Amino acid sequence: MRLGRRDDREGLFSGNKPHRAIIDIGSNTVRLVVYGGAPRAPGILLNEKVQARLGRDIGRDGKLAKDAMHLALDGLARYRLLLHDLGIERIDVVATAAVRDASNGPAFLKKVRALGFAPRLLSGEDEAIASAFGVIGAFPRAHGLVADLGGGSLELVPVSAEAPGDAESLPMGTLRLPELGGGDRGTLKGTLKKALRRSQAAMPDNGNLYLVGGTWRAMAVYAMERAGTVLTDPHGLTLTGEEALSLTRKLARSAPARLHEMPRISTMRSQMLPDAAVLLQVLVKRFQPRRLIVSAWGLREGLLYSQLEPHVQARDPLISGVSNFAIQRGAPPALATRVAGWTVEAAPPLRKGDERLRMAATMLSLAAMQIEPNLRIAQGIEWALQKRWLAIDDEGRAMLAAAICGNGNALDLPAELKRLAPAEALEEALCWGLATRLCRRLGARSMRSLEASRLSVEDGKLVLRLERDRAALYATPTEKDLNLLAGRLDLKPAMEVVDRLPD
């Protein structure tokens, strides 16, 4: 289908254009997701599901239940209308394990086509490869084994050198685990061990286990709640093998009713978590991963990523995502690039790889200045810590937040940042923010002020040079900003007026 070109004239999605939609007909849910924003880091504009549980009877009679099909089709009819009214023309509809394995799956797909959709039935290998591309898109240079746990199946596929390997689909989805154990988790563990011993899947040397699927994410939420972590997004949660085994032993003994008491764990996930914990125990012992990493990107995002041109795939997903976010908040990337260039000599990234963090921090700092003064620091920290950015770790998030604090002259950093990053990293980022503050306050972000001024470090001094016709820009507020930054850098402040700066 063609990519819809209709603008979001009514402002339905905060200025983001809804580019495309994916409908995922899974064993547990039938989900519609509408995407917009940067192609390399698409944002979710609408996410709706119907908990049809199409695969619940597959293990017993090999069919999709009639009431489940009715629920799914009612939901799909609603989706059809929504997509039509929103003007979204590029729609991918995919069906996975339940429809693939059911004897009445073809009849169900015929009814889906009658609604006006063109569903594609994914093989187990197709499903696994799509999930692997989702992990590669979210974690550039991912290396290890992807374990995508759905309702009907478990897909295993190695990833290395930014490409998936041979995929395998096993009938171990969350809806099938209770039957495999017969109500006894000891029996379940033994059954899973035998099945995985026959599996051809292999972990690349020194590889990670990437966990994809809603049940794994719910498990991550459980781990985060128990640990009292500062962050709330399960994407990117990283555990050692020992931490994962300790977690799963606790979960396997937990009553679903107690799990559901946690506000972010649904009734459905609380029922599935104990059996899924047993499965994860077996996976960890079988594959001995270096680390376990939870990925919110999976099949749907993998479909999007795999269809991008190679030069788009090669873009940094953090910068792509932050750029699109900042544009919507009055901080275009071109401006942020000029500000970052103006400040780089005084507050350079001290470690390899921090250049991208400094650019992202500059964009978020400038965006935060567009909201009310009483909100901008708290809101900026919230953006840095809690929004789903890709390809960034906990320390990187804390550095983004510290830069936003520096930009707002909030130098007493919140305690939660100190729990996420070492002092030297936070101090580096704080100086990025102070340099951004000096730059934007000098000339109110004007192009002329950037061209007529220069900031440099020379002989133990932090030197601000201004062309003569812009010398009046240097006043008491700017002097304070220069002195503050120089003090943090252990330099002496200096200001010079010149007739013309060199090109």
Side-chain angles (χ1 to χ4, degrees):
M1 299 182 181
R2 292 186 300 107
L3 179 67
R5 297 186 179 276
R6 171 180 169 180
D7 291 340
D8 181 25
R9 299 182 184 92
E10 295 84 11
L12 298 175
F13 297 112
S14 301
N16 281 294
K17 298 177 183 179
H19 289 160
R20 63 180 302 174
I22 292 181
I23 296 175
D24 179 1
I25 304 174
S27 301
N28 273 318
T29 62
V30 178
R31 186 179 294 271
L32 165 67
V33 184
V34 175
Y35 294 93
R40 180 60 184 86
I44 294 176
L45 306 183
L46 178 66
N47 188 338
E48 184 174 317
K49 69 179 179 182
V50 175
Q51 193 175 312
R53 300 185 76 230
L54 282 169
R56 71 169 190 261
D57 293 342
I58 298 294
R60 187 175 68 248
D61 62 16
K63 293 183 178 181
L64 305 175
K66 288 185 178 180
D67 61 333
M69 287 194 291
H70 285 310
L71 271 176
L73 291 168
D74 285 348
L76 288 165
R78 169 179 161 77
Y79 297 165
R80 177 75 267 179
L81 288 175
L82 287 176
L83 294 169
H84 177 271
D85 291 349
L86 292 171
I88 300 171
E89 298 174 352
R90 188 168 183 180
I91 305 163
D92 288 324
V93 182
V94 295
T96 56
V99 179
R100 183 169 68 236
D101 297 341
S103 60
N104 57 346
F108 172 74
L109 289 180
K110 184 176 181 180
K111 294 180 179 180
V112 175
R113 292 188 190 95
L115 292 172
F117 291 116
R120 179 158 59 103
L121 183 61
L122 300 181
S123 67
E125 181 178 3
D126 292 336
E127 192 175 348
I129 294 298
S131 294
F133 274 121
V135 168
I136 292 167
F139 301 96
R141 296 173 296 281
H143 177 75
L145 185 70
V146 176
D148 182 359
L149 179 62
S153 59
L154 171 71
E155 273 67 50
L156 297 173
V157 55
V159 291
S160 189
E162 299 188 1
D166 294 333
E168 185 173 8
S169 181
L170 303 172
M172 297 179 181
T174 54
L175 294 175
R176 296 183 177 185
L177 292 177
E179 295 173 7
L180 292 175
D184 180 80
R185 298 209 167 94
T187 302
L188 174 61
K189 181 180 285 189
T191 302
L192 294 173
K193 282 182 178 179
K194 290 178 183 177
L196 282 169
R197 277 198 294 267
R198 296 192 297 269
S199 167
Q200 299 301 307
M203 172 70 73
D205 291 342
N206 201 33
N208 301 313
L209 184 63
Y210 296 92
L211 302 176
V212 173
T215 302
W216 296 141
R217 290 196 300 276
M219 194 177 294
V221 168
Y222 173 85
M224 296 167 78
E225 292 284 343
R226 277 180 52 83
T229 62
V230 172
L231 307 179
T232 56
D233 186 3
H235 176 76
L237 177 72
T238 301
L239 301 170
T240 66
E242 284 303 314
E243 288 171 336
L245 290 175
S246 175
L247 170 71
T248 54
R249 282 193 288 266
K250 176 74 174 176
L251 265 175
R253 297 192 299 267
S254 298
R258 293 296 302 272
L259 296 174
H260 184 46
E261 291 174 2
M262 288 190 174
R264 297 171 61 203
I265 297 180
S266 68
T267 301
M268 180 180 75
R269 297 301 180 194
S270 65
Q271 296 289 334
M272 296 172 174
L273 277 173
D275 285 345
V278 175
L279 172 59
L280 188 56
Q281 286 180 19
V282 176
L283 288 171
V284 170
K285 291 180 179 179
R286 167 73 168 78
F287 295 112
Q288 297 292 308
R290 184 168 67 94
R291 295 176 302 170
L292 292 86
I293 301 175
V294 177
S295 175
W297 271 34
L299 183 149
R300 293 182 294 274
E301 292 76 16
L303 292 173
L304 297 178
Y305 176 82
S306 65
Q307 294 169 19
L308 296 176
E309 294 293 332
H311 73 278
V312 180
Q313 291 181 345
R315 292 174 184 166
D316 186 323
L318 174 65
I319 299 301
S320 293
V322 174
S323 295
N324 186 74
F325 180 82
I327 285 170
Q328 304 300 325
R329 289 155 183 84
L335 170 64
T337 300
R338 291 195 293 268
V339 171
W342 192 91
T343 61
V344 69
E345 188 169 343
L350 302 180
R351 303 172 302 180
K352 184 178 180 181
D354 280 357
E355 296 89 348
R356 56 195 293 276
L357 289 179
R358 193 173 76 89
M359 183 61 191
T362 303
M363 287 189 283
L364 288 181
S365 294
L366 294 175
M369 297 311 299
Q370 302 306 299
I371 58 180
E372 290 84 349
N374 59 310
L375 296 176
R376 59 180 56 138
I377 299 295
Q379 183 65 77
I381 292 173
E382 192 82 2
W383 291 344
L385 297 185
Q386 310 303 350
K387 195 167 187 330
R388 182 166 292 167
W389 307 119
L390 301 177
I392 187 172
D393 59 13
D394 294 358
E395 180 179 320
R397 285 180 175 274
M399 292 179 73
L400 296 185
I404 290 167
C405 289
N407 179 56
N409 198 22
L411 305 184
D412 186 11
L413 296 179
E416 57 261 35
L417 303 190
K418 299 173 184 177
R419 292 167 55 188
L420 296 173
E424 59 270 20
L426 295 177
E427 181 65 23
E428 176 185 353
L430 193 67
C431 289
W432 298 346
L434 288 171
T436 299
R437 176 183 177 85
L438 172 60
C439 179
R440 66 173 176 76
R441 279 161 53 95
L442 181 67
R445 311 194 323 176
S446 69
M447 173 65 78
R448 179 65 184 124
S449 69
L450 290 167
E451 293 172 343
S453 60
R454 192 76 46 85
L455 190 65
S456 61
V457 175
E458 302 171 15
D459 301 323
K461 295 186 292 185
L462 180 63
V463 182
L464 172 63
R465 288 189 174 87
L466 282 163
E467 291 185 356
R468 195 168 303 281
D469 67 348
R470 288 296 181 273
L473 291 176
Y474 187 73
T476 300
T478 316
E479 182 180 7
K480 289 180 178 179
D481 292 335
L482 180 64
N483 292 346
L484 184 57
L485 176 58
R488 301 298 294 211
L489 296 171
D490 198 23
L491 300 169
K492 293 181 179 180
M495 195 280 272
E496 296 180 6
V497 175
V498 298
D499 289 328
R500 183 175 177 82
L501 289 168
D503 293 332

